[in-house]
Each structure stands twice: as C-alpha cells, then as structure tokens.
Amino acid sequence: MNKPVIPLPAETAGAPATRRSADPADWRALFEQIGAGSSERERDRVLPFEAIGLLKEAGFGALRLAPANGGAGATFRQTYKLALDLAAADANVAHIFRNHFTVAEQYARLPYDAKSKGWQAEVAAGAIFGLASTESGDKPAGGFAPDTRLDPEGDGFRLNGVKYYSTGTLFAETMLIRAATADGRVAAVIIPTRREGIEIVDDWDGAGQRLTASGTTRYHNVRVEADEAVFDSPGRGYGLAYSNTQAQLFLTTVVAGITRGALEDAIALVKRRKRSFYYAPVPTPADDPFLQQAVGQLAANAFAAEAVILAAAETLDRASDARDRGEDAQALAAEAAKAAAQAKLVVDDLALRSGSLLFETGGASATERAVNLDRHWRNARTIASHNPSSYKAKAIGELLVKGTPLPAKGFF
C-alpha cells in the first residue's frame, strides 16, 4: 500500500471469448465464481484482477452496446439488474465498473466521430474505462473547472495534475481525466492508462470498498492528441444536463447488491450455527423464531432495495430512448435524476440497517475478522458517503414544494 502500482492490463483487450446476453441466467455461474472468494480477497487485500479479467472476457462492459456493435443491447434496467447481482457477489468488483459504464455511455455507445468509433471497438473487445475527476483541494467537489491543466502543444496538448479519486483506473485499458485549459475550457481527456507520464497509486485508505483502487493518479507532462480531448458542449458528455445520473444510480445499485449480500451471509450463518444463545427458545439456531425473524427482515430489505433500483433504472431508459430518437429528453432526464436521488435515500438506509441486523443472526464469533461479515456495513457506509443524503433530500423537497429544478450537474 502507498506505493505506485503499474497498470497490469494490456492496452487493448482481446475479443470476449463468449458473448453473453442480458439474461441474468447467462451470468449466474460467473458471478457465483467471483463471489466465492470475495470475502477473503477483501480481508487479505488481494486486488481482483482475475475477477475483472473474467468479466472483460465475458463482455460485461459491453452490455449497453448494440448487438451489431458487439454488445448485448441491454437496457438500463437489465444492466443495473446484472450490476446488482454482481455487487451481491462482490461489491468491490461491481463498483470498479461504475466509471466504465458512465464513460462508455457518453463517449462510445453512439459514436460521433472516428475516435469514438475506436473507443466503441475497444469496449466491444472487452476493454474497460477508468475515470479520474475529483481533486483534493478547497473547491467544492462538483461544477468547477479542475486544477488539472491541459496546455496546447503543437497539434495536441500536454496534461499535468493530480486526481484524488481514480476508481477502477488500475484495472482499465483507457481512462477519462477531467482537465481545463488556461482560459477555463473544460474537457474530458480520454487516453490509454499506460501512456508515458501517468502514475497510478493504490493508496485508497477508506473503511470500505478497499479493492476498488480508488486512489491517486498523477499526470506528468502527458501527451494528449487533439482528438483525445473532448471539450464540454451542451449536448455531449459532461455538457449534457443530468449526465451524472447514471453514475449516481450505479453507486446505489452496488449498495442494493450489498443488501442482498448481507442477506445471503445471514442465511448461511444461521444454517451453519450449532450453538445458540443462552436464553434461546429452542436448541437449534435454524429453528429459533427470533433468528428467522431477523432473516425475514433482511430479505424484505433486499427485495425493497432491488425494486427501487429497477424502478429508477426504467426512468433512465425512458430518457435514453428519447435521446436516441433525437427528441428533447430534458424533462425525462430530470425525472430520472429525481428517481435516482430518491433511490439513494431509501437504499442507503436499508443497506446500513441490514449490515447491522446481520449480526443479530450470530453471536460474538460473527464479529471475528476471519469471517469478515462487517464488510457489508463498511462497504455500504463508504459508498453512501460519496455524497450526502441530506443534500439530495433537501433538493427533492425544494423541487416538490417550490418547483426548484434539481441541479443538472454534479451529484444528480
């Protein structure tokens, strides 16, 4: 930890060996394989390169591409259902794909020039995107020009700066960096992660999500070609209103997956318990009505969390479909942002309660680090802290009471 880590993936992934549909049944065995070692990986801090490699090979990152372009043609509802299933197996691995799906949606799913067609081909071949946007400084986290500089040089640019969060970039072939020119123009710079001058440091020290490589990335005079810098405009990328809703709902989807993961661990714990509590009404834990009640409540929490996610994802589909038809989707995008914000308020609370309720199904031995059951609460708490629920609740209330639109940028 706290040492530079050289990105291990090849610059271009090979074509996925087995193209899968958006049917959860096609992914069940692979997710179970990934989930089998998730607790031990997190406990021992083993970065999930193997798991990410399996998902690349299977074309998980190409779900949203049309079949004609090498993808599964998945809707947002289908994509988020699969992301939730993956998060239930391993929340770290699912989280790593959050930035990939955001970048791929904005810059690769519907190519607009020769360069973006190349990015689409990379995604179809199994490559994934990383992202480095947030900086450590005294500016608010969203809505301002970054300090990372993009300075003209010949027919291209040079990139210099430091990013504080770079979730998933260590596992990615290509990365997006938010940068600004001296005159304040902001761009999405999309370049290979192994380009000379890029230093990725695995120094993320959060209580949870410890394997997402959400650490520091430094850019030392990195060469950027002209077509690798996409400047913000009203209809593209970060210039599009509510362009970040997809990423926000993806985070909440991972939290919903954690809620189910807590349920699955609780079921396994009660089934394998031999000893019961001193005042237990029955000698066998599996017959204890109080333990059964706790498991039932965990099941209800997981069910509700998934239902909320899928309902919110459908609002994203309506906005996306309208944009794809060339229609004005501003009102639908605003509705999707509202749904995603409301989903966070509900799902975060359910997951945190489930992470604690899980321990009601076990004795003190359930808190041992070896079994690592605390990871569910830690991981949910870490993701929930990415942006405060209070700000979203206030914004929703102001919208409903005064008609004030939700912020179109940042955490909405």
Side-chain angles (χ1 to χ4, degrees), residues 23-306:
D23 184 346
D26 276 358
W27 297 90
R28 189 169 297 124
L30 178 55
F31 291 172
E32 288 175 355
Q33 179 183 351
I34 290 170
S38 62
S39 176
E40 292 77 15
R41 281 195 300 269
E42 205 228 41
R43 183 193 65 207
D44 300 333
R45 206 172 185 284
V46 177
L47 293 172
F49 283 106
E50 182 179 357
I52 297 298
L54 291 171
L55 290 163
K56 289 179 180 181
E57 185 180 359
F60 185 72
L63 282 170
R64 284 281 293 159
L65 298 187
N69 297 322
T75 63
F76 274 119
R77 190 185 195 280
Q78 292 171 320
T79 301
Y80 283 69
K81 164 61 177 169
L82 290 172
L84 193 155
D85 291 347
L86 177 58
D90 190 318
N92 285 275
V93 170
H95 191 171
I96 286 165
F97 278 87
R98 178 239 190 168
N99 288 331
H100 164 77
F101 280 111
T102 301
V103 178
E105 186 72 21
Q106 295 177 357
Y107 299 97
R109 186 175 71 88
L110 298 176
Y112 49 87
D113 61 13
K115 192 64 178 180
S116 59
K117 288 180 181 178
W119 293 327
Q120 183 189 73
E122 290 180 24
V123 173
I128 67 171
F129 290 107
L131 182 144
S133 179
T134 305
E135 297 172 348
S136 178
D138 57 4
K139 293 180 180 178
F144 291 83
D147 290 329
T148 299
R149 286 287 298 275
L150 189 63
D151 296 315
E153 181 192 68
D155 58 355
F157 306 90
R158 287 286 175 178
L159 181 72
N160 287 278
V162 179
K163 295 296 186 180
Y164 183 56
Y165 290 126
S166 310
T167 301
T169 298
L170 184 61
F171 307 93
E173 288 75 19
T174 304
M175 66 187 306
L176 184 153
I177 309 103
R178 296 290 285 162
T181 60
D183 60 0
R185 291 190 303 150
V186 181
V189 175
I190 305 175
I191 56 177
T193 56
R194 299 184 110 182
R195 182 162 293 176
E196 182 180 359
I198 298 176
E199 179 189 10
I200 301 175
V201 185
D202 183 27
D203 59 353
W204 168 243
D205 192 33
Q209 296 301 93
R210 294 171 174 173
L211 304 184
T212 57
S214 299
T216 304
T217 304
R218 300 188 180 95
Y219 305 93
H220 307 282
N221 208 33
V222 178
R223 173 66 183 179
V224 176
E225 303 303 329
D227 60 359
E228 295 175 325
V230 184
F231 287 90
D232 291 356
S233 61
R236 177 164 296 133
Y238 284 76
L240 189 67
Y242 302 108
S243 62
N244 205 32
T245 299
Q246 174 193 349
Q248 295 304 308
L249 185 59
F250 196 97
L251 277 179
T252 306
T253 300
V254 176
V255 176
I258 292 170
T259 309
R260 190 201 296 167
L263 165 64
E264 292 171 354
D265 271 355
I267 295 170
L269 176 59
V270 172
K271 283 184 174 181
R272 71 173 179 263
R273 280 188 64 182
K274 303 301 181 186
R275 300 173 59 219
S276 193
F277 294 116
Y278 190 86
Y279 290 107
V282 292
T284 305
D287 295 327
D288 188 327
F290 295 105
L291 300 186
Q292 294 169 351
Q293 179 187 29
V295 171
Q297 184 60 61
L298 286 162
N301 291 354
F303 173 81
E306 179 169 341

Side-chain angles (χ1 to χ4, degrees), residues 5-30:
V5 178
I6 299 173
L8 297 183
E11 287 197 25
T12 304
T18 305
R19 179 63 60 190
R20 301 177 190 232
S21 74
D23 184 346
D26 276 358
W27 297 90
R28 189 169 297 124
L30 178 55

Side-chain angles (χ1 to χ4, degrees), residues 80 245 248-253 255-256 304-313 315 335-351 389 392 396:
Y80 283 69
T245 299
Q248 295 304 308
L249 185 59
F250 196 97
L251 277 179
T252 306
T253 300
V255 176
E306 179 169 341
V308 168
I309 290 297
L310 297 182
T315 67
E335 186 61 30
K338 176 189 171 192
Q342 291 176 146
K344 172 183 166 58
L345 295 176
V346 173
V347 174
D348 284 359
D349 182 61
L350 290 172
S389 296
K392 294 203 171 184
I396 293 167

Side-chain angles (χ1 to χ4, degrees), residues 347-363:
V347 174
D348 284 359
D349 182 61
L350 290 172
L352 292 170
R353 283 194 277 148
S354 288
S356 181
L357 182 59
L358 166 59
F359 289 94
E360 297 297 321
T361 64

